[in-house]
Amino acid sequence: EVTVGEDDGNANNDGGLDLKSSDFVVSLESDTASLFFGDTSTAADKHWVSAGDMESDGFTTGTNSAVLRGDVSFAGFETSMSYIYDDANAEVEQLSLGAAGSFGAFTVSAAYQEDSDFADGSGDYNSSEVYGISVGGTFAGATVTAGYAVDSNNGIGQSNDEQTSAGIKLAYPFGPVTAEAYYVMEDVDGAGDTEDNYGVSVAYDANGIAIKAAYRDEQGRPEYNIDASYDLGNGLVAIGGILNENEGDDIDYYVGAEYDLGGGASVLATYAADEDGDQSDEIGAGDYQEGITVEVSFSF
């Protein structure tokens, strides 16, 4: 994968552009067990299913270092264990565990990560101990998910004030339209009254068109986003969206296209604008980078 992004001041003689290559992923896979090393998800992130926007389910979802993860499937359950590999010190950090499966009409997801004094530097890395469990099921066409998560806040430079989230999410399809709503009760030790989270969304997916509009209130902070894609045929898909994820008036947006080159290869080109400067690498549904980005991916 090759990425072209805006100049951050560190590039030399590059015409104002940075050229960066992505991390690698090496895998060994069988029907019941797999091993991954590189730019892959942690065990907790792979299996955790949230019940809405939960402040306490801050599992590490990305890292500047390689992840070593093993997956095993048995009796209808998928389980994983992972570590982050600290190449500077040649040692592993932050054990992460995850599992997901079903019991009759119910699905269960459980995840855990230990606290760590490893300083990763990635905005998607959380050094705190975090654990959670969620249960879901479909009843009369509606899918209900209930979840509980705890973040110890005992990571590097954090407050040590444990926070918990207990939420419920409801999704109901109407033909090509799916409506969703959630409510999450939030609590932080020693913080007195803590505002809860809630949100609603509507998604449409049919005839090559996919649109999702969402509104949420994150502890008194209103946010919204609209994401859309259109399959133009012959492997070409156009994408675009707008979002406001802060209390100000600045609106971020992105546009782009993805083209399937065949043979496991694809190219993605996007332009994303971060008007408020708060999320230069997580703009829109695909967490796009600010500025012009071209990614070429190969699977073999």
Side-chain angles (χ1 to χ4, degrees):
E1 179 180 276
V2 177
T3 301
V4 181
E6 285 190 342
D7 183 12
D8 64 0
N10 297 321
N12 295 314
N13 299 320
D14 59 2
L17 296 175
D18 291 333
L19 298 180
K20 302 182 291 183
S21 61
S22 73
D23 293 333
F24 63 91
V25 179
V26 179
S27 64
L28 295 173
E29 302 179 57
S30 71
D31 291 339
T32 58
S34 302
L35 184 65
F36 299 87
F37 180 67
D39 185 14
T40 189
S41 61
T42 64
D45 181 42
K46 175 178 173 62
H47 294 292
W48 172 244
V49 178
S50 69
D53 179 22
M54 306 174 71
E55 299 293 327
S56 305
D57 66 349
F59 297 103
T60 293
T61 59
T63 171
N64 289 332
S65 303
V67 172
L68 175 63
R69 191 189 76 236
D71 302 337
V72 176
S73 301
F74 64 93
F77 264 77
E78 295 184 1
T79 63
S80 299
M81 180 175 72
S82 70
Y83 282 96
I84 296 172
Y85 179 70
D86 177 9
D87 56 355
N89 298 305
E91 58 186 19
V92 294
E93 304 280 355
Q94 194 174 61
L95 169 68
S96 179
L97 302 171
S102 59
F103 289 104
F106 296 93
T107 59
V108 179
S109 166
Y112 168 83
Q113 73 176 33
E114 68 176 359
D115 65 320
S116 173
D117 57 6
F118 172 54
D120 177 84
S122 168
D124 299 317
Y125 171 78
N126 182 5
S127 59
S128 291
E129 179 185 46
V130 182
Y131 56 90
I133 185 169
S134 67
V135 180
T138 301
F139 312 95
T143 300
V144 181
T145 305
Y148 178 79
V150 178
D151 187 327
S152 64
N153 269 320
N154 59 358
I156 301 172
Q158 297 191 22
S159 65
N160 290 317
D161 294 326
E162 183 177 275
Q163 65 181 39
T164 61
S165 302
I168 186 166
K169 180 173 66 174
L170 173 67
Y172 194 86
F174 302 88
V177 178
T178 299
E180 186 176 282
Y182 68 84
Y183 190 90
V184 182
M185 295 179 291
E186 303 287 354
D187 182 72
V188 179
D189 285 351
D193 293 335
T194 304
E195 293 194 59
D196 298 334
N197 292 341
Y198 61 88
V200 294
S201 68
V202 177
Y204 172 86
D205 190 352
N207 302 317
I209 300 173
I211 302 174
K212 183 174 182 179
Y215 173 86
R216 54 199 171 274
D217 187 292
E218 293 192 348
Q219 298 182 302
R221 186 181 69 249
E223 298 183 351
Y224 66 84
N225 63 277
I226 302 174
D227 297 283
S229 67
Y230 179 55
D231 189 343
L232 298 169
N234 297 319
L236 181 62
V237 178
I239 59 174
I242 61 173
L243 60 151
N244 184 328
E245 297 189 345
N246 58 73
E247 296 184 45
D249 296 327
D250 293 327
I251 298 176
D252 301 337
Y253 63 91
Y254 67 93
V255 293
E258 183 172 12
Y259 184 66
D260 186 354
L261 300 173
S266 64
V267 59
L268 171 68
T270 60
Y271 174 78
D274 179 21
E275 298 295 335
D276 45 39
D278 64 344
Q279 50 181 16
S280 61
D281 64 345
E282 297 182 352
I283 301 172
D287 290 343
Y288 303 110
Q289 298 184 38
E290 183 180 9
I292 299 173
T293 303
V294 178
E295 298 178 0
V296 181
S297 300
F298 303 90
S299 297
F300 53 89

